[in-house]
Amino acid sequence: MRTIKFFDSLEELNRFAAEKFGEIARASINSSEGNFTVALSGGSTPKSLYQLLASDEYKNKVDWSKVFFFFGDERNVLPDDTESNFRMAKENLFTTLEISDKNIFRWQTEFKNAEITADNYQSTIRKFYEDNNKAIVTINDCDCPRFDLILLGMGADGHTASLFPFTEALNEKQKMAAANRIEKFDTTRLTLTFPVINNARNVIFLVRGADKTEALYEVLQGNFQPEKYPAQAVKPDDGNLLWLIDSEAARLLN
Ligand code: 6PG
């Protein structure tokens, strides 16, 4: 099921997102699996959401000891690099909440070789799911974990995670984690793939800013061109898709 909600400000968007995060987390923790797996988004938009989740107002609404953090994507940099999505989450969420390292699974970019990092991450996810009796579902050719929640952003070009237009990883149907060459940035990024994203129980997009207006119109109301607008390919097979959009990004939408 797809739901789209609009907000006049990022603050209102974040409040709704924080409430939703808490709802999903508590439902997952209270389920037979007894824990909550979330893949965090990188970029700048979610930073204020992470700060809100770690604030006095929200931090006591979730049993963080039962929350296990993964990352939807990562730059191929060391974890203390200013570009690192892990570092952003650590600074704005993990440190304040005193999250144990045992509950955090980052892409181990120390390998330098992105393909090894991606294969390692896939093994890390799989091992966690097998050791903790979490659901792994076979979708087409992918034995994919079912994340309880995947947070995503969307770039001004319609990319999501590090699934950029016209890049190899868009077509990955078997692996759940890939190294993806991004020619326009002359770099290789690390990303979860569509099979695992579309196998999530819940996917929440956080989209704000005037620079997203055109891409968001194309993604939500344009022709289906997922190679050109990869965010269009996020369609959970058996999960909830929630778009949280601010008024600037929504300007062209009916
Ligand atoms: C990243 C993110 C990326 C991000 C979008 C939107 O590593 O940067 O995973 O997909 O979500 O680029 O970024 P902003 O939220 O900064 O606009």
Side-chain angles (χ1 to χ4, degrees), residues 80-221:
D80 60 355
D81 191 294
T82 53
E83 283 297 302
S84 164
N85 289 336
F86 162 77
R87 174 172 165 167
M88 188 272 277
K90 181 179 177 186
E91 289 177 340
N92 295 285
L93 186 64
F94 300 154
T95 302
T96 309
L97 290 175
E98 296 178 330
I99 303 291
S100 160
D101 288 346
K102 291 194 317 327
N103 289 57
I104 302 168
F105 299 89
R106 64 176 175 81
W107 298 75
Q108 296 197 299
T109 49
E110 295 84 340
F111 287 119
K112 283 280 181 250
N113 176 310
E115 282 71 19
I116 294 177
T117 299
D119 290 346
N120 172 274
Y121 202 57
Q122 172 152 293
S123 308
T124 298
I125 298 170
R126 189 176 302 289
K127 182 171 183 338
F128 175 83
Y129 269 68
E130 287 166 353
D131 292 354
N132 291 274
N133 182 34
K134 291 288 285 187
I136 292 184
V137 178
T138 301
I139 290 198
N140 305 325
D141 302 329
C142 175
D143 292 337
C144 284
R146 262 172 86 64
F147 278 97
D148 296 308
L149 174 60
I150 296 182
L151 293 177
L152 293 173
M154 190 196 75
D157 60 358
H159 82 261
T160 190
S162 282
L163 296 161
F164 283 80
F166 308 110
T167 55
E168 274 298 297
L170 297 185
N171 307 309
E172 181 56 57
K173 297 285 186 276
Q174 287 181 311
K175 296 196 292 184
M176 56 175 139
N180 197 24
R181 179 75 190 153
I182 318 295
E183 287 306 340
K184 74 174 177 181
F185 293 156
D186 187 21
T187 186
T188 296
R189 288 273 194 99
L190 298 150
T191 188
L192 294 186
T193 58
F194 285 123
V196 67
I197 291 171
N198 285 330
N199 193 36
R201 291 194 170 98
N202 297 277
V203 176
I204 299 180
F205 271 102
L206 307 170
V207 185
R208 65 95 191 249
D211 61 327
K212 316 289 174 72
T213 306
E214 285 75 19
L216 190 63
Y217 172 79
E218 293 296 344
V219 166
L220 293 180
Q221 294 181 326

